[in-house]
Amino acid sequence: MENFILDLLRASGADGWTVADERRRGWEFYFIRHALDQNRMRDVEHITLTLYRKFSEGDSEFLGSASARLAPTATREDAEKLIARLLEEAKLVRNPLYALNEPRGEAAPVAEAPDLRAISGDFLRAMRSVEESAEADINSYEIFADSVERRFISSTGIDVTDVYPASMAEVVVNARRAGHEIELYRMYRSGSCDAAGLKANVEETLRFGRDKLRAEKTPALGKCDVVFSTDDALQIYDYFVDRMAAAMVYQKISDCEIGKSICENASGDPLTIRALRRLDNSSHNGAYDDEGAPVRDLTIIENGVARSFFGSRMFSQYLGLQDSFIPGNIAVDGGGASAAELRTGRYLEIVEFSDFQVDSACGDIAGEIRLGYLHDGGTVTVVEGGSVSGTMRELAGTMRFSRERRQYNNYLIPAVTRLFGVSITGAE
């Protein structure tokens, strides 16, 4: 980033400003089956300017803001024009007055840049170790290994830098049976490479592909217990996390109160959720959030009781929180039963939806079933079609989850989650 940008901001007359400068250096690989089709190196920089203006109307004081990206190749004249435009736009925003983040203690030491050669090698070896078959195999995959360097500078004196790895693998698999073939797509995000986890995830997808080709139509089950054991479960836990966000509470979308239970008449497993400064192999292990606030470990919900709100500086200040931040990693404690114990009796384990959503405002859940396993005593039937519906307002109190946990990039959640009495519309 050119120094003249900071000089222009300091001389702009703004009541506050921030600069977020992110640079990603990456290695990319594109494979057709296991044959390398192409590879390249990438070096991309994004600079985001935010300017703030104070103004009063009657007895009310406001702090408006406006943001935009500035090209890393921008000239001094380009930067002057953008800053002038943002100053005008900031006056159109009427947020009640709040103070920007200020430096808090000594800056965290800057980590060394990750070894992209080693990370890429781990991905390549993991993908080659996947067990394929004539019924299901890998069609293609892409690997992206990045070194992320983020610098955040503010008019209040913050000047901090983060360096950490952020990787991704995109995988397409094919499954075939009796002349019919289907394709499944997956995206796996991580910090570096969890070789064992990636191998297990791809092999799980191959199994889902094989099973989908023999699936029957989902019957009309009425009310039935549903087990979640894939990344769709993230939507369930995000429902609770979102309701503890300062923005949700301030806007009265969430009715959570510190020291009070998050569920009425709860009889299921008590929920404990924590924000973590660091989670092994997460791509969100920065020491600072997007507003320059230091990230730390924080208990958000403990044994079903709300403990701490979190969020952006603006909404946190409106709630009287002076030491808040935006979490990068979330961990949910395990429950009281094993995964095997939760997989008993009659239940539908859904492993693939066309789209599964949990509305953070009202708690409504909805999703169309693409692949599930209907367990009824000793019988297991592979099913597809139909949909699920219900509301977490009613389902959360009896929810149970396993002691074992599974990681999805920056989330560590119970491996198996069971909701009781979900409405199932059949496809027959």
Side-chain angles (χ1 to χ4, degrees):
M1 182 178 67
E2 300 290 345
N3 288 330
F4 70 74
I5 297 173
L6 297 178
D7 293 338
L8 291 173
L9 287 169
R10 294 184 182 108
S12 66
D15 294 300
W17 52 263
T18 65
V19 181
D21 183 5
E22 179 180 287
R23 187 168 186 178
R24 284 180 175 256
R25 298 174 175 88
W27 287 22
E28 300 178 0
F29 302 86
Y30 302 85
F31 287 83
I32 305 299
R33 298 199 181 280
H34 290 287
L36 181 64
D37 183 57
Q38 61 176 305
N39 66 289
R40 64 182 182 181
M41 299 179 68
R42 176 171 42 84
D43 190 342
V44 179
E45 184 178 17
H46 293 296
I47 301 171
T48 303
L49 308 184
T50 303
L51 275 72
Y52 299 84
R53 294 294 300 269
K54 292 180 183 178
F55 58 96
S56 301
E57 291 184 6
D59 295 331
S60 300
E61 291 186 288
F62 300 93
L63 182 67
S65 64
S67 300
R69 279 186 176 176
L70 178 69
T73 56
T75 64
R76 185 182 186 93
E77 182 181 4
D78 293 333
E80 287 176 336
K81 289 180 179 179
L82 179 61
I83 289 171
R85 191 192 89 198
L86 294 178
L87 280 171
E88 291 302 311
E89 292 176 356
K91 293 189 294 185
L92 304 177
V93 180
R94 296 165 52 85
N95 290 320
L97 184 64
Y98 63 97
L100 302 183
N101 277 316
E102 296 188 357
R104 303 181 198 170
E106 294 185 7
V110 180
E112 293 184 4
D115 185 343
L116 298 184
R117 180 184 295 274
I119 294 173
S120 300
D122 290 341
F123 271 105
L124 297 176
R125 285 186 289 273
M127 290 302 300
R128 290 172 184 148
S129 72
V130 172
E131 295 185 15
E132 303 171 74
S133 68
E135 293 79 26
D137 55 18
I138 295 171
N139 172 297
S140 57
Y141 58 95
E142 301 175 3
I143 294 170
F144 305 86
D146 284 359
S147 172
V148 182
E149 180 178 336
R150 295 169 59 216
R151 185 183 180 191
F152 185 89
I153 313 167
S154 76
S155 56
T156 59
I158 297 175
D159 189 348
V160 292
T161 300
D162 272 335
V163 178
Y164 54 88
S167 305
M168 179 176 68
E170 294 185 277
V171 183
V172 177
V173 306
N174 287 124
R176 57 193 65 84
R177 180 172 182 265
H180 183 51
E181 186 167 348
I182 62 170
E183 183 177 280
L184 296 179
Y185 165 84
R186 291 291 188 273
M187 178 188 293
Y188 307 104
R189 294 185 182 275
S190 59
S192 52
C193 175
D194 174 8
L198 178 60
K199 180 178 185 293
N201 284 331
V202 176
E203 290 178 349
E204 178 185 69
T205 304
L206 292 170
R207 175 170 62 85
F208 291 163
R210 291 193 299 267
D211 289 345
K212 187 170 176 57
L213 287 170
R214 61 184 179 87
E216 303 175 9
K217 297 298 183 182
T218 304
L221 299 174
K223 297 285 188 179
C224 181
D225 296 355
V226 174
V227 163
F228 297 82
S229 57
T230 59
D231 60 355
D232 290 302
L234 293 171
Q235 305 297 322
I236 294 172
Y237 294 102
D238 255 342
Y239 165 75
F240 299 101
V241 174
D242 288 349
R243 295 183 65 78
M244 293 297 292
M248 294 276 284
V249 176
Y250 177 76
Q251 296 174 91
K252 302 190 183 303
I253 300 171
S254 169
D255 56 2
C256 290
E257 297 182 44
I258 299 300
K260 293 189 177 181
S261 174
I262 59 171
C263 299
E264 294 183 4
N265 304 316
S267 60
D269 287 328
L271 191 64
T272 296
I273 300 179
R274 297 182 174 88
L276 298 183
R277 157 66 183 86
R278 181 173 181 81
L279 179 62
D280 285 347
N281 217 34
S282 163
S283 65
H284 292 254
N285 279 335
Y288 302 91
D289 69 11
D290 291 340
E291 299 178 324
V295 175
R296 66 184 190 281
D297 292 352
L298 178 72
T299 299
I300 298 172
I301 298 170
E302 185 176 32
N303 293 324
V305 176
R307 293 300 183 199
S308 304
F309 296 136
F310 65 88
S312 67
R313 178 67 170 179
M314 181 176 74
F315 286 109
S316 294
Q317 284 223 326
Y318 294 164
L319 293 184
L321 308 176
Q322 298 301 319
D323 194 25
S324 189
F325 61 96
I326 303 168
N329 301 306
I330 296 292
V332 181
D333 284 6
S338 68
E341 289 170 331
L342 292 180
R343 287 186 169 114
T344 56
R346 185 171 187 263
Y347 64 94
L348 176 61
E349 181 169 352
I350 305 174
V351 298
E352 185 126 354
F353 288 90
S354 60
D355 184 29
F356 178 69
Q357 298 181 8
V358 180
D359 191 298
S360 297
C362 64
D364 288 351
I365 69 172
E368 182 181 346
I369 302 166
R370 293 189 64 191
L371 179 64
Y373 299 87
L374 178 58
H375 295 252
D376 195 352
T379 303
V380 180
T381 306
V382 183
V383 298
E384 64 178 351
S387 61
V388 301
S389 61
T391 175
M392 290 302 297
R393 293 279 188 179
E394 297 174 358
L395 300 171
T398 56
M399 181 175 76
R400 299 199 65 198
F401 35 90
S402 65
R403 286 193 294 269
E404 301 93 330
R405 296 191 290 177
R406 182 173 178 176
Q407 186 171 343
Y408 301 96
N409 191 16
N410 59 322
Y411 272 71
L412 180 62
I413 66 172
V416 170
T417 303
R418 184 161 177 161
L419 299 182
F420 294 82
V422 180
S423 295
I424 308 293
T425 300
E428 294 181 335

